[in-house]
Amino acid sequence: MVSLSGLLALLLALVHLVAGSVRSLRSSPRSRWLSVAGGASVAYVFVHILPELGEGETVLKYVTFLTQFIERHVYLVALVGFIFFYGLERLVRVTEDKPERQQNAVFVIHIGSFAAYNGLIGYLLVHQEEPGAVNLVLFAVAMGLHFVVNDVGFREDHEESYNRLGRWLLAGAVIIGWSIGYATEIDEPLVNTLFAFLAGGIILNVIKEELPEERKSRFWTFTVGAGSYSLLLLFV
């Protein structure tokens, strides 16, 4: 299983290194394949991650003063992930017309946050909520599709900086995250907490790429992607 997760980590890292060479992904109107990829990764969250987490526990359950008020602790963590990446997106947008020095500082924050995000995904390749080769491959496929969507977004926001440095940092972060996961052991509540945070981040990062009108996204292909991957998750 370790060799499989390591191979999948390498393949996920390669997504950021080769996605830019696929010119059809950067077409306007938005490539239908990006909408399919976004739909599939969101489907993974709603059909697989959240139902599994709803039956488990997160570290919040062991914080006494919170447990008196919080029953849906898994969904609270997912909300935190959603809000975090929403705030990050707003930071990028409000500095688009600012001086170059300020834009460079935001790029560092933006790429650093997503490097941690990619590192988390690499880490969770080792620590799955449900062990097994099939679940691991399904997770990796969903994350690979999600990386494609994120990669296109980064190229639109920071093209030169991303091509020169950012894509290498994001690729390396997956490998580093996997290496840390291989070297450490964590208990189930913490795994669930990390997955819940990731779920919120995936939802926000896919939707922010699909909704802007200028992207001319494709609703029906997004739906096909979500529906197809949902069926795969339900019947595999």
Side-chain angles (χ1 to χ4, degrees), residues 7-227:
L7 174 62
L8 293 173
L10 287 172
L11 292 175
L12 286 176
L14 283 174
V15 170
H16 287 298
L17 301 182
V18 304
S21 62
V22 184
R23 294 189 177 183
S24 62
L25 294 178
R26 305 178 68 183
S27 63
S28 182
R30 185 173 173 82
S31 168
R32 61 174 54 91
W33 295 112
L34 287 177
S35 293
V36 169
S41 52
V42 166
Y44 185 81
V45 171
F46 283 104
V47 177
H48 186 80
I49 295 182
L50 292 180
E52 291 296 328
L53 293 179
E55 300 174 1
E57 300 173 342
T58 68
V59 293
L60 287 185
K61 190 164 185 178
Y62 301 100
V63 182
T64 305
F65 75 92
L66 284 175
T67 56
Q68 300 175 20
F69 307 100
I70 299 171
E71 295 180 354
R72 304 294 183 183
H73 45 283
V74 166
Y75 305 105
L76 178 69
V77 177
L79 176 62
V80 170
F82 185 94
I83 292 173
F84 174 82
F85 284 100
Y86 176 67
L88 187 62
E89 179 67 13
R90 288 299 304 152
L91 178 64
V92 173
R93 295 292 160 248
V94 300
T95 56
E96 286 179 333
D97 299 322
K98 300 296 182 180
E100 183 177 355
R101 181 178 178 182
Q102 194 168 346
Q103 291 184 28
N104 290 338
V106 170
F107 170 73
V108 171
I109 296 171
H110 199 193
I111 205 72
S113 298
F114 271 84
Y117 181 75
N118 279 19
L120 172 60
I121 291 171
Y123 189 89
L124 292 175
L125 283 169
V126 181
H127 300 285
Q128 285 284 295
E129 51 183 343
E130 276 192 11
V134 173
N135 286 323
L136 181 58
V137 171
L138 289 172
F139 173 72
V141 170
M143 294 305 99
L145 295 172
H146 182 48
F147 280 4
V148 171
V149 175
N150 287 348
D151 190 88
V152 172
F154 265 106
R155 292 179 190 282
E156 292 177 352
D157 292 335
H158 315 283
E159 183 167 12
E160 183 179 347
S161 299
Y162 182 74
N163 282 330
R164 185 180 69 253
L165 177 64
R167 64 194 180 109
W168 296 98
L169 292 176
L170 294 187
V174 180
I175 305 301
I176 292 171
W178 178 87
S179 301
I180 294 172
Y182 176 71
T184 60
E185 291 287 340
I186 60 176
D187 58 13
E188 182 180 348
L190 183 52
V191 171
N192 289 343
T193 301
L194 295 175
F195 265 105
F197 182 84
L198 176 65
I202 291 172
I203 294 169
L204 187 282
N205 287 314
V206 170
I207 295 304
K208 76 178 177 63
E209 295 296 332
E210 288 293 322
L211 287 183
E213 184 177 354
E214 66 272 14
R215 300 282 172 85
K216 298 182 180 179
S217 301
R218 301 171 184 269
F219 170 76
W220 291 112
T221 50
F222 181 90
T223 303
V224 167

